[in-house]
């Protein structure tokens, strides 16, 4: 009997997953390489990685100050710089592969560029959060227009199936070719469309419930997400990330939390992150460590200017890196982040941060 119990105990020990370990990161101050063509960038609003481990950045050329775009003045004010196209593709070494887009590239090009996503078919999706930016735009990787979802200048609230409300971020599900939208800065929901046709599929608010009326919300109280969680998303609903196991993770930024759903909108659980954070909230973007179970959730926090390392299953805090500052490895308004297949982290900064950084994974990645 004792042997049987011992054998059962060993079997259970091997069957249980190992506890997630905090990965270790080191900033790479030489990435990316200097931009060609005397280019400069404005607020670096979004970042994504593709199947090649190339890194895609979308920035806001119109946010460059007069001295930052001095070479574009007439007459030129200085040697540098000229605003780069809004979408820039980098290779793994930080060299520019191509760049395209920006004001005038498409009639519905956003007034204020925001998120970027490269799907499993190599299509590039962009969003915007300007006052009239109620659309998603889909392009080939070379910048040829394919599809628009939503109508520029038109919005209809959080229960409108056709019109968006300043969408922040998207992710396409390779299994179904559906696109999940964090909608967003104007609306307070997740909405799903067919990624080929743009046809509406479904939407939901916090806890998988129907979004309430888009009335003005009371101010967030410190710690409220932990003590009296709101039944609604706050603006902005800032990101969506789909894990390999089919769970959808949503950044409820100003409520200092991440909510987790099944693909049909069924609520599963939530993680509270730095619940005393006021201002712009604690969860701005997220991605997963690319080990077999995606054991670690990495969350960019542009208020506290850190990247949180959380256990994906339950949200336990494993570690963090970064701090507020201007030196390599520090952040000023870290806004978006992406992880490549090797576990390296790429971050972008808005406000006056205006840069992209790479953090190399220096610990072992389980395969």
């Amino acid at each position: 009997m004792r042997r049987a119990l011992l054998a059962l105990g060993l079997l259970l020990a091997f069957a249980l997953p190992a506890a997630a370990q905090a990965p270790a990161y080191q900033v790479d101050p030489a990435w990316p390489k200097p931009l060609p063509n005397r280019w400069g960038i404005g607020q670096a609003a979004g970042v994504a990685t593709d199947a090649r481990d190339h890194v895609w950045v979308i920035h806001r050329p119109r946010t460059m100050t007069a001295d930052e775009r001095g070479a574009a003045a007439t007459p030129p004010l200085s040697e540098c710089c000229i605003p780069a196209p809004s979408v820039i593709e980098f290779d793994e070494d930080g060299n520019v592969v191509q760049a395209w887009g920006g004001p005038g590239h498409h009639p519905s090009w956003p007034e204020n560029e925001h998120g970027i996503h490269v799907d499993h078919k190599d299509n590039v999706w962009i969003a915007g959060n300007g006052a009239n930016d109620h659309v998603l735009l889909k392009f080939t990787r070379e910048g040829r227009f394919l599809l628009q979802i939503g109508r520029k200048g038109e919005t209809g609230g959080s229960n409108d199936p056709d019109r968006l409300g300043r969408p922040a971020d998207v992710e396409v599900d390779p299994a179904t070719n559906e696109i999940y939208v964090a909608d967003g800065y104007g609306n307070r929901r997740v909405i799903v469309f067919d990624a080929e046709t743009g046809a509406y599929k479904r939407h939901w608010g916090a806890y998988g419930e129907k979004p309430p009326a888009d009335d003005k919300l009371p101010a967030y109280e410190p710690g409220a997400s932990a003590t009296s969680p709101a039944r609604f998303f706050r603006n902005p609903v800032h990101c969506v990330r789909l894990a390999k196991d089919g769970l959808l993770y949503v950044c409820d930024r100003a409520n200092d939390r991440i909510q987790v759903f099944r693909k049909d909108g069924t609520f599963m659980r939530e993680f509270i992150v730095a619940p005393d954070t006021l201002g712009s909230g604690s969860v701005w973007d997220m991605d997963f460590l690319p080990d077999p179970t995606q054991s670690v959730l990495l969350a960019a926090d542009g208020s506290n200017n850190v990247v949180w390392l959380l256990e994906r299953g339950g949200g336990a805090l494993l570690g963090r890196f970064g701090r507020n500052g201007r030196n390599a490895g520090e952040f000023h308004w870290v806004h978006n982040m992406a992880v490549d297949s090797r576990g390296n982290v790429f971050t972008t900064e808005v406000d006056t941060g205006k840069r992209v950084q790479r953090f190399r994974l220096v610990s072992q990645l389980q395969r």
Side-chain angles (χ1 to χ4, degrees), residues 101-130:
H105 186 78
H106 183 272
S108 293
W109 191 266
E111 298 170 357
N112 201 53
E113 293 89 345
H114 202 272
I116 187 168
H117 171 65
V118 184
D119 70 21
H120 60 294
K121 297 182 178 180
D122 254 1
N123 300 309
V124 179
W125 295 82
I126 69 165
N129 69 330

Side-chain angles (χ1 to χ4, degrees), residues 33-165:
K33 304 285 180 59
L35 297 176
N37 307 320
R38 295 187 295 162
W39 285 345
I41 67 169
Q43 295 177 4
V47 61
T49 56
D50 66 15
R52 299 170 174 83
D53 273 343
H54 284 196
V55 180
W56 294 74
V57 172
I58 187 166
H59 80 105
R60 298 167 177 165
R62 287 164 289 200
T63 64
M64 294 179 70
T65 61
D67 66 299
E68 288 172 337
R69 59 175 187 270
T74 305
L77 302 177
S78 56
E79 290 184 350
C80 196
C81 293
I82 297 169
S86 291
V87 176
I88 308 173
E89 178 189 358
F90 296 92
D91 67 17
E92 297 169 82
D93 296 323
N95 300 298
V96 172
V97 176
Q98 63 164 337
W100 50 264
H105 186 78
H106 183 272
S108 293
W109 191 266
E111 298 170 357
N112 201 53
E113 293 89 345
H114 202 272
I116 187 168
H117 171 65
V118 184
D119 70 21
H120 60 294
K121 297 182 178 180
D122 254 1
N123 300 309
V124 179
W125 295 82
I126 69 165
N129 69 330
N132 296 301
D133 292 341
H134 306 305
V135 301
L136 302 172
L137 298 176
K138 176 184 178 183
F139 298 93
T140 66
R141 69 179 298 119
E142 297 80 22
R144 179 172 58 84
F145 171 71
L146 296 174
L147 180 67
Q148 175 174 317
I149 299 176
R151 305 171 201 164
K152 187 175 180 65
E154 294 186 27
T155 187
S158 292
N159 286 294
D160 190 307
D162 301 312
R163 291 175 293 179
L164 300 170

Side-chain angles (χ1 to χ4, degrees), residues 207-208 247-248 259-263 265-270:
Y207 297 100
L247 293 178
L248 186 77
Q259 291 206 329
V260 188
F261 303 89
R262 293 196 180 105
K263 293 180 185 181
T266 301
F267 174 76
M268 299 297 292
R269 54 184 174 269
E270 64 182 13

